[in-house]
Amino acid sequence: MSLLVVGLSHRSAPVSVLERASLAADTQAKLLQDTLAAEPATEAAVLATCNRIELYADVDKFHAGVAELSTLLAQHSGVGLEELTPYLYVHYEDRAVHHLFSVACGLDSMVVGEGQILGQIKDALARGQELHTAGRLLNDLFQQALRVGKRAHSETGIDRAGQSLVSFGLQQLAAGADPALWAGGKRALVIGAGSMSSLAAATLARTGVAEIVVANRTRARADRLVEILQQGDDTAVRARAVEMSAVGDELTRADIVVSCTGSTGLVLTADALADALGVTLDAAPEAPAATAVAPAPDDVDQHAAWVENGSAASAAHAGPATPRRVTVPAQSTGPVRLALLDLAMPRDIDGAAHRIAGVRLVDIESLADASADAPMAADVDRVRTIVSDEVAAFGAAQRAAHVAPTVVALRTMAADVVAGEIARLDGRLPDLDEKQRAEITQTVRRVVDKLLHAPTVRVKQLASEPGGAGYADALRELFDLDPQTVAAVSRADLNDPNRGRS
């Protein structure tokens, strides 16, 4: 079996496609179940964020796996396969491991170095474990990805290369001013109470806003977030929760709005925003759109977020190789009365809000364009080195693990042979006392252990090297091991309830 990932992200697809391809939680669960039901896959995990949708699987056939996973992504996203295919990327075996480790370190994020992705990877693993779609390979892979990401953040200054999407968005709203000075004393409305909204609320509180109002469809979750904000020792922000039905009234009092919900439709329309500001949308001046060029997916010199995508041999499909043009509507002129940050995918806030006088809107698409100007950091190279080293170590560990059941089966067979011979000795020499019998048994076992020690240690070393998978087969053939015994050891390891959990 081999690791395969098929997906699309902000690097390979325009925001409009990502919005349409976004997967709700129940859809992700159905995708995982259908992937396991497909013939080529035995394990599956899905990593779905506002910037990426990736399906990981352990498959026995590469081409059949690519075709099946691509088809399943199209079916569950609702975007036709022919339309989706040009934006898909494919990574296989070590390249797939390299990709996930890079993602975990923030190298593949829209804002390089952001740490929010670690929580999303953890959620993806938990979902796969809960649905029993993540087996030994994906448990090991995602657990190691989390460790690699934490190592990158603790051993390097990758955090200095960028910030979380929330912090970066607030910087864009501040338009060059110090976010703390810009936001100080303002009133903020946070729509949603999930992980990203909670991060936004906490960031706003640290930035110095005077009040945070949380609106969520489930009032209990909004109340819980407010409770957490009020318990913070490092902030003195006022916080309260409201029903979603009160959002219209709260808009008339808010200075900053951050929205990140799982809604498939708009949460804030342009008309609702115009009403809150007391202006007429149709009469608002519309500035011409400005066209910006985002870096090509493989142009690492322009920005670290567009990291190396791997060789052509590792990808069956690749995104457009030429620079992708991103249309960013120009902001209305005049003083800003309402600053909007839309972190949802698909978007929560109507893009036509750009046309409303007194409104500044920053969304995923404009963040993608702005992040192209973020500085490269020397720490990015250090993180890439960590990723490369960890990929090599993970591959070696997986190859060594592949031979381990064979070694266990060999030692089990040897123990059975020793037990059989000792039983035969008891029949031939029934007068042996216990001390003599124990000494003979120990001697035979030592002889067998010494004979097996060198080949078993060496086969583990050889198996950990690239191309070493065949040594397990050779060992089984040389010692005429029962394949069923080896398979039984593998199943016992796979079903260990303590495996893959931290």
Side-chain angles (χ1 to χ4, degrees):
M1 303 300 288
S2 300
L3 178 66
L4 174 67
V5 56
V6 178
L8 67 160
S9 72
H10 65 96
R11 297 180 57 231
S12 69
V15 171
S16 58
V17 174
L18 283 172
E19 282 186 319
R20 292 168 54 207
S22 63
L23 303 174
D26 55 345
T27 306
Q28 293 177 38
K30 186 66 165 60
L31 173 59
L32 289 174
Q33 292 163 350
D34 289 351
T35 302
L36 245 63
E39 182 179 344
T42 59
E43 298 183 35
V46 61
L47 178 59
T49 74
C50 57
N51 296 320
R52 72 182 64 252
I53 303 163
E54 296 177 344
L55 181 56
Y56 292 77
D58 188 9
V59 300
D60 58 0
K61 300 174 183 176
F62 172 74
H63 294 291
V66 170
E68 190 66 38
L69 266 58
S70 301
T71 300
L72 287 168
L73 277 175
Q75 288 175 349
H76 290 79
S77 69
V79 180
L81 183 59
E82 289 186 3
E83 181 181 0
L84 192 64
T85 296
Y87 303 110
L88 294 177
Y89 47 77
V90 173
H91 297 295
Y92 190 56
E93 294 186 323
D94 283 353
R95 288 301 308 174
V97 177
H98 188 282
H99 174 73
L100 181 59
F101 287 4
S102 297
V103 169
C105 292
L107 291 179
D108 199 54
S109 296
M110 184 177 293
V111 181
V112 68
E114 61 91 13
Q116 182 75 6
I117 187 63
L118 285 175
Q120 294 161 335
I121 290 174
K122 187 175 181 180
D123 291 343
L125 174 59
R127 186 181 304 108
Q129 290 174 338
E130 180 182 355
L131 296 173
H132 304 290
T133 63
R136 180 174 60 193
L137 174 61
L138 294 185
N139 266 298
D140 289 351
L141 174 69
F142 276 71
Q143 289 281 2
Q144 188 63 21
L146 291 170
R147 286 189 283 268
V148 173
K150 291 174 183 176
R151 180 188 170 193
H153 284 279
S154 65
E155 295 183 13
T156 76
I158 188 67
D159 303 86
R160 295 193 298 268
Q163 318 87 40
S164 73
L165 208 56
V166 174
S167 299
F168 191 62
L170 292 177
Q171 283 192 358
Q172 298 306 305
L173 285 179
D178 183 337
L181 295 176
W182 171 79
K186 285 183 167 62
R187 290 167 293 187
L189 170 63
V190 175
I191 304 176
S195 58
M196 184 65 79
S197 297
S198 299
L199 176 62
T203 304
L204 286 166
R206 289 193 299 269
T207 303
V209 296
E211 181 184 42
I212 297 176
V213 178
V214 180
N216 192 59
R217 285 185 173 83
T218 304
R219 176 60 183 268
R221 296 190 66 181
D223 289 334
R224 176 57 181 157
L225 178 52
V226 166
E227 181 182 350
I228 293 172
L229 291 172
Q230 292 175 331
Q231 290 174 347
D233 296 331
D234 56 344
T235 65
V237 66
R238 298 191 307 273
R240 56 189 174 90
V242 299
E243 305 286 348
M244 285 293 291
S245 58
V247 165
D249 291 335
E250 295 299 334
L251 282 174
T252 64
R253 292 184 284 270
D255 303 301
I256 305 170
V257 177
V258 179
S259 187
C260 186
T261 73
S263 175
T264 55
L266 292 176
V267 174
L268 295 179
T269 64
D271 287 333
L273 292 166
D275 290 343
L277 294 174
V279 300
T280 303
L281 180 61
D282 293 339
E286 183 175 357
T291 302
V293 179
D298 56 355
D299 192 353
V300 297
D301 293 328
Q302 283 188 279
H303 184 249
W306 276 264
V307 294
E308 185 181 0
N309 195 34
S311 63
S314 69
H317 303 96
T322 56
R324 174 168 55 87
R325 305 196 74 81
V326 179
T327 301
V328 182
Q331 298 286 351
S332 59
T333 57
V336 176
R337 297 171 55 192
L338 186 60
L340 306 172
L341 178 57
D342 186 356
L343 299 174
M345 184 66 69
R347 70 187 69 206
D348 279 347
I349 302 176
D350 193 342
H354 282 290
R355 298 163 41 200
I356 304 173
V359 169
R360 175 177 292 149
L361 171 62
V362 171
D363 55 19
I364 293 295
E365 191 163 9
S366 55
L367 280 174
D369 179 61
S371 68
D373 297 325
M376 290 285 287
D379 293 290
V380 171
D381 289 333
R382 293 176 59 197
V383 173
R384 286 175 175 156
T385 299
I386 289 175
V387 168
S388 296
D389 292 345
E390 291 283 359
V391 169
F394 182 83
Q398 288 297 306
R399 288 187 289 270
H402 179 70
V403 78
T406 302
V407 172
V408 172
L410 174 59
R411 290 193 172 275
T412 300
M413 183 192 74
D416 290 343
V417 170
V418 169
E421 290 303 317
I422 294 299
R424 182 179 300 177
L425 182 66
D426 287 341
R428 292 180 177 178
L429 300 173
D431 295 331
L432 286 175
D433 60 33
E434 286 300 320
K435 183 177 179 180
Q436 292 172 326
R437 185 179 183 279
E439 184 62 33
I440 294 173
T441 300
Q442 187 63 26
T443 299
V444 175
R445 285 175 177 168
R446 281 198 298 266
V447 170
V448 171
D449 286 342
K450 288 182 178 181
L451 287 174
L452 292 182
H453 177 74
T456 54
V457 169
R458 186 61 179 147
V459 78
K460 288 180 180 179
Q461 294 172 342
L462 293 171
S464 67
E465 298 174 0
Y471 287 101
D473 297 333
L475 199 63
R476 288 194 296 269
E477 188 70 24
L478 286 171
F479 286 92
D480 194 23
L481 297 177
D482 183 0
Q484 297 299 322
T485 303
V486 177
V489 174
S490 299
R491 286 194 297 272
D493 184 47
L494 183 60
N495 294 328
D496 182 353
N498 296 317
R499 183 181 183 88
R501 296 184 182 272
S502 61

